[in-house]
Amino acid sequence: MKISDLEAILFVVGDEGIGLEELSYLLNTKTAETYEMIQLLQGRYDEEENSALHILEVGNHFVLTTKKKFAPLLKKYAQSPLSNTLSQAALETLAIIAYKQPLTRMEVDEIRGVQSSGSVQKLVARQLIEEKGRVNGPGRAILYGTTDYFMDYFGLKTLGELPDIEAMEDELTEDVPMDLFFDRFKETENGGQE
């Protein structure tokens, strides 16, 4: 039995979940055996009072979630003034989704080069992004896009009003010297001549 492998996969795929067939392929097991492992893991979560985890079955997809009894605590966390600022990772994720929507979490991961499920979940909880559909293909991954709240929050009427990335890149290359020590070298050189 590969229960820990199953748990690791469910954790990594995040809120998009994963289909039984794909799980079976990854675990190199038959679908019936994989489903049995899912049931066994869910049984462990149910029996363990101190476990916050639950496996949600949606159609033929499985998503690792928290138990319902933790909803008030998680809602409090999402509304906490201490959690009101977005992390750098969440801001990067939001920018990618805003400019390239609709796209899946996996596409965001490819662009960022790191896993983004936590950032995506936080952005969904803050109502800055939402599900815009699903990919027609294996796994039926969720497509994310910005919300009306995002538009209101940033004072945008259309996505066309987002700053031009190419113009920002040009400004950055003009403002930043090729050698970050250029200014220091120049100061030292002038200081030695005076």
Side-chain angles (χ1 to χ4, degrees), residues 69-158:
K69 70 179 185 180
F70 292 98
L73 173 66
L74 298 176
K75 186 174 182 180
K76 183 178 176 183
Y77 165 74
Q79 296 171 343
S80 166
L82 299 176
S83 69
N84 274 347
T85 58
L86 291 175
S87 66
Q88 184 67 33
L91 287 172
E92 289 173 10
T93 302
L94 182 59
I96 291 167
I97 292 171
Y99 280 96
K100 300 206 176 267
Q101 62 185 305
L103 73 165
T104 65
R105 184 188 54 81
M106 294 298 278
E107 290 171 318
V108 173
D109 293 353
E110 287 176 26
I111 293 168
R112 288 192 66 231
V114 293
Q115 206 259 1
S116 303
S117 66
S119 296
V120 167
Q121 289 173 358
K122 190 165 203 161
L123 294 170
V124 168
R126 296 264 178 99
Q127 299 176 351
L128 291 168
I129 63 171
E130 65 187 357
E131 182 177 332
K132 295 289 186 177
R134 290 192 174 259
V135 173
N136 291 330
R140 306 240 331 122
I142 297 171
L143 289 166
Y144 291 99
T146 55
T147 62
D148 291 339
Y149 176 71
F150 167 86
M151 301 296 280
D152 290 342
Y153 186 83
F154 288 100
L156 303 170
K157 291 180 184 168
T158 68

Side-chain angles (χ1 to χ4, degrees), residues 2-186:
K2 303 173 181 179
I3 298 288
S4 56
D5 293 345
L6 169 66
E7 189 174 38
I9 292 169
L10 287 171
F11 176 77
V12 167
V13 298
D15 62 341
E16 289 185 20
I18 188 167
L20 184 60
E21 293 80 18
E22 189 174 0
L23 268 172
S24 297
Y25 170 77
L26 293 170
L27 297 172
N28 198 26
T29 58
K30 295 180 181 180
T31 54
E33 186 181 342
T34 303
Y35 190 77
E36 189 178 304
M37 282 194 293
I38 292 168
Q39 296 302 313
L40 183 63
L41 184 57
Q42 181 57 53
R44 287 184 186 175
Y45 291 153
D46 289 342
E47 289 173 14
E48 180 58 47
E49 266 188 48
N50 293 324
S51 173
L53 301 177
H54 174 74
I55 300 173
L56 181 64
E57 183 175 356
V58 182
N60 205 23
H61 261 66
F62 299 91
V63 182
L64 189 64
T65 65
T66 53
K67 292 177 181 174
K68 286 183 182 179
K69 70 179 185 180
F70 292 98
L73 173 66
L74 298 176
K75 186 174 182 180
K76 183 178 176 183
Y77 165 74
Q79 296 171 343
S80 166
L82 299 176
S83 69
N84 274 347
T85 58
L86 291 175
S87 66
Q88 184 67 33
L91 287 172
E92 289 173 10
T93 302
L94 182 59
I96 291 167
I97 292 171
Y99 280 96
K100 300 206 176 267
Q101 62 185 305
L103 73 165
T104 65
R105 184 188 54 81
M106 294 298 278
E107 290 171 318
V108 173
D109 293 353
E110 287 176 26
I111 293 168
R112 288 192 66 231
V114 293
Q115 206 259 1
S116 303
S117 66
S119 296
V120 167
Q121 289 173 358
K122 190 165 203 161
L123 294 170
V124 168
R126 296 264 178 99
Q127 299 176 351
L128 291 168
I129 63 171
E130 65 187 357
E131 182 177 332
K132 295 289 186 177
R134 290 192 174 259
V135 173
N136 291 330
R140 306 240 331 122
I142 297 171
L143 289 166
Y144 291 99
T146 55
T147 62
D148 291 339
Y149 176 71
F150 167 86
M151 301 296 280
D152 290 342
Y153 186 83
F154 288 100
L156 303 170
K157 291 180 184 168
T158 68
L159 290 172
E161 294 178 349
L162 285 170
D164 184 333
I165 293 178
E166 290 178 11
M168 287 190 297
E169 286 177 347
D170 290 344
E171 284 180 31
L172 281 174
T173 55
E174 289 172 11
D175 293 344
V176 178
M178 296 305 276
D179 181 356
L180 296 176
F181 298 104
F182 178 76
D183 290 336
R184 180 173 279 172
F185 173 73
K186 193 173 177 183

